[in-house]
Amino acid sequence: MKEFTTYNSVEDLDSESKYLVHKAKEATVHSYAPYSKFCVGAAVILDDGTVVTGANQENAAYPLCMCAERVVLYACASQHPGKKVIKMAVVAHKKNHKELMPASSCGACRQVMQEFEHRQHKPMEVVMLSPGEKWIKCSSAQVLLPYGFDASSLE
Ligand code: THU
């Protein structure tokens, strides 16, 4: 499987990815982003077909802000233990604007996605709008974080 596949339009994505992009957009309604005004939504599909969503949650103590990707992954682990995350879509827009902005998952989220992959023994696909303004589908979190830190580093 190709590590990265790019698409000029959201319409060119497979239907499951399109649906997750739609759910991620809906999830931005629950962003709490009074400081950055950058609303991020993430939607995942689990191996039983369940869709779970999350949105970024900020705090006046800035380092405590939590990205949408980690909100949704930790919700999955807590509310759907044992289910595997098959795919995630991430979208972002400026507060009170409709147009989507590129949102490339931060390094901390890539690290957490990678640990999920190790835990579940299965890669998760990640769909996002790249800074080059193309939709990109990554075959796994692993390819988003080469040579990352993991449990084997602690042995
Ligand atoms: N943010 C995410 O939710 N996901 C990312 O991958 C990048 C950044 C959020 C965190 C913060 O609330 C806002 O976007 C600006 O950094």
Side-chain angles (χ1 to χ4, degrees):
M1 192 199 260
K2 266 180 82 176
E3 290 190 345
F4 299 97
T5 312
T6 56
Y7 305 85
N8 288 321
S9 157
V10 68
E11 293 308 321
D12 301 331
L13 288 164
D14 62 277
S15 53
E16 184 182 72
S17 298
K18 268 193 276 199
Y19 182 62
L20 288 181
V21 166
H22 165 73
K23 297 302 283 181
K25 262 191 222 171
E26 277 186 355
T28 63
V29 171
H30 305 299
S31 283
Y32 175 64
Y35 306 106
S36 71
K37 302 192 174 6
F38 191 69
C39 302
V40 187
V44 304
I45 186 157
L46 305 179
D47 58 357
D48 65 354
T50 305
V51 171
V52 184
T53 60
N56 57 327
Q57 304 298 321
E58 299 190 345
N59 193 283
Y62 289 0
L64 302 183
C65 294
M66 182 57 69
C67 295
E69 294 93 320
R70 278 174 287 160
V71 169
V72 74
L73 286 176
Y74 292 147
C76 290
S78 312
Q79 293 165 23
H80 304 275
K83 299 291 179 224
K84 298 182 185 192
V85 178
I86 303 298
K87 188 186 286 187
M88 177 186 298
V90 187
V91 306
H93 62 78
K94 285 268 168 65
K95 205 170 157 74
N96 302 324
H97 289 69
K98 274 202 178 146
E99 323 81 73
L100 293 182
M101 317 250 312
S104 188
S105 292
C106 77
C109 290
R110 293 177 192 212
Q111 178 76 23
V112 170
M113 289 174 196
Q114 197 179 80
E115 182 110 6
F116 267 71
E117 285 189 343
H118 288 150
R119 276 171 82 176
Q120 66 184 25
H121 304 291
K122 191 173 172 61
M124 75 175 74
E125 291 185 320
V126 183
V127 175
M128 53 177 126
L129 186 55
S130 78
E133 304 224 349
K134 280 196 182 207
W135 287 92
I136 150 172
K137 186 159 76 179
C138 316
S139 57
S140 68
Q142 174 67 46
V143 304
L144 286 171
L145 193 65
Y147 304 107
F149 186 85
D150 63 23
S152 67
S153 316
L154 296 170
E155 281 161 14

